[in-house]
Amino acid sequence: MGSYVISFQEIDTQHLLVGRKGWNLGELSKIHGIQVPEGFCVTTEAYQKALKQNEAFHALLDQLTLLKVEDRDQIGEISRKIRQIIMEVEIPSDVVKEVAHYLSQFGAEHAYAVRSSATAEDLPHASFAGQQDTYLNIIGKEAILQHISKCWASLFTDRAVIYRIQNGFDHSQVDLSVIIQRMIFPQASGILFTADPITSNRKLLSIDASFGLGEALVSGLVSADCYKVQEDKIVDKMIATKKLAVYGRKEGGTETQQIDPDQQKTQTLTEQQILQLARIGRQIEAYFGCPQDIEWCLVDDTFYIVQSRPITALYPIPKANDQENHVYVSVGHQQMMIDPMKPLGLSFFLLTTHAPMQTAGGRLFVDITHNLASPVSREILLDTLGQSDPLIKDALMTIIEREDFIKSLPNDRKEQSPGKNNKGMSPAGFQAQIENDPTIVSDLIKSSQTSIEELKYNIQTKSGPDLFDFILEDIQRLKKVLFDPQSLGVIQVAMNASSWINEKMNKWLGEKNAADTLSLSVPNDITSEMGLALLDVADVIRPYPEVIDYLRHVKDDNFLDKLVNFDGGQETQNAILAYLNKYGMRCAGEIDITKTRWSEKPTTLIPMILNNIKNFEHNAGNRKFEQGRQKALKKEQELLDRLKQLPDGKRKGKETKRMISLIRNFIGYREYPKYGMVNRYFVYKQALLKQAEQLVQANVIHEKEDIYYLTFEELREVVRTNKLEYQIISKRKDEYKLYEKLTPPRVITSDGEIITGEYKRENLPAEAIVGLPVSSGVTEGRARVILNMEDADLEEGDILVTSFTDPGWTPLFVSIKGLVTEVGGLMTHGAVIAREYGLPAVVGVENATKLIKDGQRIRVNGTDGYIEIL
């Protein structure tokens, strides 16, 4: 026959002809021993032929292409007209002839399921599941032809159109094939996931089963039994009360029937059938090479498979070199950057770190299996992670309590003599050395700046493969700076002093989190200075209404050049350029070298500058800093006065004063090493983009940013040879789109199981949303839920609610009076800067951006770690 209809057996690699669903059925039909109800596909060529000459259809399609998601009314109106045209269009006679031919082969008297199969369905980065229509128990050629038209029309339901707009698909590039499949009338049916959809565990298979046709289950009409199978054993069963079932009617169509009350609680499948179905699932999974979501039916003890598609929502598992069990912890949750990174960004970070890291889903994970196996290192690890993210610690406790997942090593307490670090000096000695050297921080900062200036000078002469050798060499210098024992010692001394103050003041005076107030407005904090410096930029611009008006309408990044045409424009340009010169290498997500820096896109700063002009008066930066400093001094005096009244008060006061001076002198430096790293990254990036320009000129890549989709080593090779298979870039761009949709887990095992932790706390208000308290105080205000820093429209007194913040978000902190994030711990960026600015903050709040709605009035309790919606 022609190319308008093909049977499942004839389907080859061309899923553009039959859509992904049709192609999957063709593949399933080839698997030995798998029963698939027979049938055929009306190809996309039939759909194209039916509408090719229809001018009204194409005119409406052009109109639809111009619309955005928010144009709901127009989408509805145009889509309705398109569906009407499709329903009225005559199916071409040669298509009708081929359908009739296949129907006579399979039996025209039988009932059929008529199902849509779009070319943009079940893709790795967009599932389109349930977007188009399915019709069951259709009998007779005329009814089948009518339902082919209905399936074609369902390509333009409002929800399908909106989904395509959201996912960036061109309506004219998506075609529809129609599956005509022999109808079977099952006693039971359901869905089988070869990886558990709740935990993502690849070894745990999950079966949903109910009586009658599966449509009742898919449409949410009935509850289903749920069986879990692991390694050929049923490990869990949940038997639902099944009151309804959908069955096919003799004359065509379906009906919903009540189930006999004494059958409602019966187990749908026998134990033997459950295990048989599980084996079928594993066979299909092995054939397709990835976890599957499978629709099945049971007829007279035979299982029929009516569909199988990849499960797109599973988080990929980091790769291991062996078959042992492994536990991985997310790096992004520690670094406050849970967005996916592009390959170049990942490879740079891997070059900069000492830790054993793996990549999965565009994110970094550390394999901590070995640390968990040893009792001593387990204790240290849990203690460290517990401080930075209690949810990670709680998830790890779940794994440890199972006992069978990780083999415990014998107790290996070969500790160094108490209190010696690897440089042969005890922490107390190290602390004394740091305490007695007030210039240590300024020396470390000066040394870092000198080193960066040298790098900027030396890199200018490098190009081609030499540049890559030079960068690798300089990364060794960067690592020396990042892991310099003196630098780490300063940070450790300040953190220890904070912990000491919090612990002792609570014990002696009943004062919680005293260190938060004592850390206000400390010197040498490069990140919080960056927020205050943007207030100074606003001060320069505030007197010039013309400039302010110009900035409100700026769209492109060349705006700085045009500023000089306005009164006050030169001063504005100087102020912004000076700011960029010091902080322009920063941005949100800055540990990924491929992220756009403020220097590359200065318009990012404009909304924040305008907010500062609107919300603050002149000299607000200095005033804010001085208010924080006075508050810290006042708190210090208050604590010392209260300690005097205690038994042994003189000694306690003396020790406390010493610890406070350690916090004040050294805690600000904590932000500096990362600033140095991001500075270096930007220098490397500018040099690599020059190489990228040459690759564009040589037609090796299409645009400069294509290099972001190559690793450092791959890019080096492309620069050396001037050759590249461009499909690599296209493939990785698609993968990146998929990764953007995934939520990275804090903890994942080598089985793919995502372990979630929880906060265990009593005596909280009934409706409280719980998180980790990281900056003391209680505040109320309007919640602003902001996922992208560039969309921030804040007024003074708003509370920022977001998924995570890193130094790139700091300029927003001057406008807010409280902070809530989904990710973070005691020492992550948002927490440190919140304490520095005196903002009550709660972090690590699961789903905060969904639970709290933009504009709601909320109360943030940063002392006890919860949020109330008022």
Side-chain angles (χ1 to χ4, degrees), residues 516-540:
D516 292 2
T517 310
L518 297 167
S519 318
L520 293 173
S521 300
V522 290
N524 297 316
D525 186 335
I526 188 77
T527 307
S528 56
E529 284 165 11
M530 172 170 81
L532 299 173
L534 205 59
L535 286 170
D536 298 343
V537 173
D539 284 351
V540 173

Side-chain angles (χ1 to χ4, degrees), residues 621-638:
N622 290 333
R623 249 194 330 276
K624 263 181 181 289
F625 187 81
E626 190 50 33
Q627 279 163 359
R629 205 175 70 83
Q630 291 301 333
K631 205 170 164 188
L633 287 171
K634 194 174 154 202
K635 173 57 76 179
E636 176 175 3
Q637 201 48 56
E638 178 212 315

Side-chain angles (χ1 to χ4, degrees), residues 286-432:
Y287 181 84
F288 285 111
C290 65
Q292 297 288 301
D293 161 359
I294 298 164
E295 293 172 35
W296 57 269
C297 298
L298 176 68
V299 183
D300 303 330
D301 229 20
T302 299
F303 282 106
Y304 287 87
I305 304 301
V306 291
Q307 191 48 255
S308 186
R309 61 172 73 85
I311 307 175
T312 53
L314 290 176
Y315 200 86
I317 306 171
K319 285 190 171 53
N321 302 325
D322 54 39
Q323 297 304 304
E324 299 296 314
N325 290 341
H326 289 264
V327 180
Y328 304 97
V329 165
S330 159
V331 173
H333 286 80
Q334 312 284 308
Q335 287 289 340
M336 298 306 283
M337 217 295 265
I338 55 171
D339 289 344
M341 292 165 75
K342 298 190 179 86
L344 191 63
L346 287 168
S347 62
F348 259 96
F349 198 82
L350 287 168
L351 286 169
T352 314
T353 182
H354 289 315
M357 291 186 189
Q358 310 285 347
T359 64
R363 278 94 173 174
L364 291 160
F365 291 85
V366 178
D367 186 345
I368 57 158
T369 318
H370 189 71
N371 306 66
L372 286 181
S374 141
V376 176
S377 60
R378 180 193 307 155
E379 212 173 297
I380 297 165
L381 179 81
L382 290 174
D383 193 44
T384 312
L385 288 174
Q387 280 184 27
S388 72
D389 190 331
L391 291 176
I392 292 181
K393 179 181 177 177
D394 192 59
L396 295 178
M397 291 305 297
T398 305
I399 296 172
I400 292 163
E401 279 156 19
R402 288 181 185 170
E403 291 185 349
D404 58 343
F405 193 76
I406 291 175
K407 294 185 187 79
S408 201
L409 296 170
N411 204 333
D412 54 356
R413 282 195 182 272
K414 291 201 224 45
E415 286 177 291
Q416 304 159 337
S417 58
K420 285 270 178 164
N421 70 11
N422 54 8
K423 293 284 172 199
M425 189 187 283
S426 74
F430 201 62
Q431 181 164 322

Side-chain angles (χ1 to χ4, degrees), residues 117-304:
S117 175
T119 51
E121 244 177 348
D122 297 332
L123 299 174
H125 56 284
S127 77
F128 284 81
Q131 295 297 333
Q132 281 80 44
D133 290 350
T134 286
Y135 301 95
L136 299 178
N137 202 18
I138 309 300
I139 301 169
K141 184 183 90 170
E142 290 313 315
I144 285 169
L145 290 169
Q146 188 191 353
H147 283 85
I148 289 171
S149 296
K150 282 186 176 181
C151 284
W152 286 347
S154 76
L155 197 52
F156 292 94
T157 59
D158 295 9
R159 69 167 188 255
V161 168
I162 288 166
Y163 191 85
R164 285 199 292 275
I165 295 172
Q166 282 170 333
N167 284 278
F169 282 89
D170 180 343
H171 304 294
S172 61
Q173 297 302 307
V174 179
D175 293 320
L176 196 102
S177 163
V178 180
I179 298 162
I180 317 284
Q181 189 171 21
R182 180 78 180 268
M183 188 74 195
I184 54 174
F185 299 98
Q187 294 99 336
S189 56
I191 299 165
L192 152 64
F193 296 98
T194 64
D196 182 43
I198 311 296
T199 65
S200 299
N201 189 338
R202 310 305 203 266
K203 289 186 178 169
L204 190 61
L205 184 141
S206 180
I207 297 168
D208 284 357
S210 64
F211 298 119
L213 288 163
E215 291 313 292
L217 189 60
V218 174
S219 61
L221 207 62
V222 299
S223 300
D225 289 357
C226 181
Y227 319 121
K228 308 265 182 184
V229 180
Q230 189 159 0
E231 287 164 357
D232 240 8
K233 284 192 190 72
I234 299 167
V235 293
D236 192 28
K237 279 194 297 193
M238 202 261 322
I239 312 302
T241 305
K242 300 167 283 291
K243 294 183 178 173
L244 301 170
V246 174
Y247 293 102
R249 302 200 322 234
K250 283 275 184 288
E251 62 276 22
T254 61
E255 63 182 4
T256 305
Q257 293 177 14
Q258 292 279 345
I259 292 179
D260 202 330
D262 57 357
Q263 203 199 346
Q264 287 181 3
K265 286 205 158 132
T266 315
Q267 190 171 308
T268 311
L269 298 179
T270 66
E271 317 280 296
Q272 202 181 346
Q273 287 169 337
I274 293 168
L275 294 173
Q276 185 193 348
L277 184 55
R279 283 191 288 273
I280 291 170
R282 288 290 177 226
Q283 190 185 351
I284 293 171
E285 178 185 59
Y287 181 84
F288 285 111
C290 65
Q292 297 288 301
D293 161 359
I294 298 164
E295 293 172 35
W296 57 269
C297 298
L298 176 68
V299 183
D300 303 330
D301 229 20
T302 299
F303 282 106
Y304 287 87

